[in-house]
Amino acid sequence: MAKRFQHILPLFSTILLLVVTAGESGSYSKTIPFQGYQPEKLTHLHFYFHDVISGDKPTAIRVIMPPVTNSTAVSSFGVVVIADNLLTEGPDPRSKEIGRAQGMYASTDMNILSFTMVFNLVFTEGEFNGSTVSMYGRNPIFSKVREFPIIGGTGAFRFARGYAQPLTYSLSGLDAVVEYNVFISH
């Protein structure tokens, strides 16, 4: 009979040790009020994004250009671009600069020209100077209605969420001016 309990004793000891350890250890998380958190508000931003690929001073550089095949000729599938694009109040690049769009976009659809956008909007003027907004999402650039999410931010936009609606304002070769309406809850 003692032999029967020999196999159970190590199992019982392990269970007892786990119960005691779990009872003594603290929780892995704690919810406390965030110091400095203010009531939520909705901010609408309207600006122009200048994506300059050509000329002597491009703000967007192709870093990967895969070989063109029959299946990628339409979509430019696999192209990756790194950008530090100007954000302005108006469509003219000489209008007041409000910040920069820093990030990357990649052609990720094999059938249509559509980019996955990963950008930080870095504001350098006005009440949001020093704050950022992070955008990430799919941008089928020839669709009339386009939308992608705001997934975070810093400074005035801490805890940000919302969406951005880009609309191509003008296209000259590969250079584009894109009008943005951004709605941010923060």
Side-chain angles (χ1 to χ4, degrees):
M1 185 151 175
K3 286 191 176 195
R4 253 200 254 178
F5 291 114
Q6 267 183 328
H7 298 293
I8 295 174
L9 188 59
L11 177 63
F12 178 73
S13 297
T14 304
I15 292 171
L16 182 62
L17 180 61
L18 287 173
V19 168
V20 170
T21 304
E24 291 178 4
S25 67
S27 175
Y28 75 93
S29 69
K30 183 187 282 188
T31 302
I32 58 172
F34 179 72
Q35 301 301 314
Y37 182 71
Q38 299 172 3
E40 214 168 82
K41 53 188 161 185
L42 178 68
T43 298
H44 173 221
L45 302 174
H46 178 257
F47 54 83
Y48 292 84
F49 171 105
H50 300 267
D51 193 49
V52 180
I53 293 177
S54 66
D56 294 338
K57 296 181 181 178
T59 60
I61 306 285
R62 278 184 251 172
V63 293
I64 296 176
M65 186 65 177
V68 176
T69 66
N70 287 340
S71 63
T72 63
V74 173
S75 67
S76 296
F77 181 72
V79 170
V80 177
V81 177
I82 302 295
D84 183 6
N85 291 334
L86 180 65
L87 301 177
T88 61
E89 282 185 345
D92 188 322
R94 294 170 297 207
S95 63
K96 184 177 180 183
E97 179 178 338
I98 60 154
R100 307 294 294 190
Q102 298 171 335
M104 69 177 90
Y105 54 94
S107 180
T108 53
D109 191 316
M110 293 182 78
N111 299 309
I112 65 168
L113 189 55
S114 179
F115 295 115
T116 295
M117 310 283 288
V118 181
F119 273 94
N120 287 309
L121 305 176
V122 181
F123 297 100
T124 57
E125 286 293 323
E127 72 177 292
F128 301 121
N129 183 15
S131 298
T132 67
V133 171
S134 298
M135 295 188 310
Y136 174 85
R138 183 174 185 269
N139 187 3
I141 64 169
F142 293 120
S143 294
K144 185 169 177 116
V145 176
R146 301 174 344 231
E147 180 177 294
F148 39 91
I150 300 300
I151 59 170
T154 65
F157 296 116
R158 192 174 290 139
F159 294 118
R161 64 189 186 285
Y163 63 97
Q165 293 179 315
L167 176 65
T168 303
Y169 180 83
S170 67
L171 191 59
S172 176
L174 295 175
D175 298 344
V177 176
V178 182
E179 181 179 14
Y180 271 82
N181 279 289
V182 181
F183 300 89
I184 306 167
S185 185
H186 58 103

